[in-house]
Amino acid sequence: MSKIAKIPLILLGIALGFFVVTFTVYIFNLDMKATSLIAPLLEKWYDHLEHKQYL
């Protein structure tokens, strides 16, 4: 096969791999699980910030 003929196959493989990864994240709700692990660290950091309160 020539290099030009391999390009669509490579692009198709990349697109298929991207789809599999994003589909797995969606099915197992991994984005929200990761967020729940990071949330306490972000809350601790945010609580230490100085806030300006205007009424």
Side-chain angles (χ1 to χ4, degrees), residues 10 18 31:
I10 292 171
F18 181 75
D31 55 338

Side-chain angles (χ1 to χ4, degrees), residues 1-54:
M1 279 176 103
S2 66
K3 287 185 178 183
I4 295 174
K6 288 183 181 180
I7 291 174
L9 292 176
I10 292 171
L11 292 176
L12 183 65
I14 291 171
L16 184 62
F18 181 75
F19 174 76
V20 168
V21 169
T22 55
F23 186 75
T24 304
V25 168
Y26 173 75
I27 289 297
F28 293 110
N29 202 20
L30 297 178
D31 55 338
M32 296 312 300
K33 290 179 182 178
T35 304
S36 69
L37 292 175
I38 297 171
L41 298 173
L42 293 175
E43 289 171 359
K44 185 177 178 182
W45 173 74
Y46 184 76
D47 288 341
H48 284 90
L49 291 178
E50 185 176 328
H51 300 286
K52 296 181 182 178
Q53 295 183 358
Y54 298 107

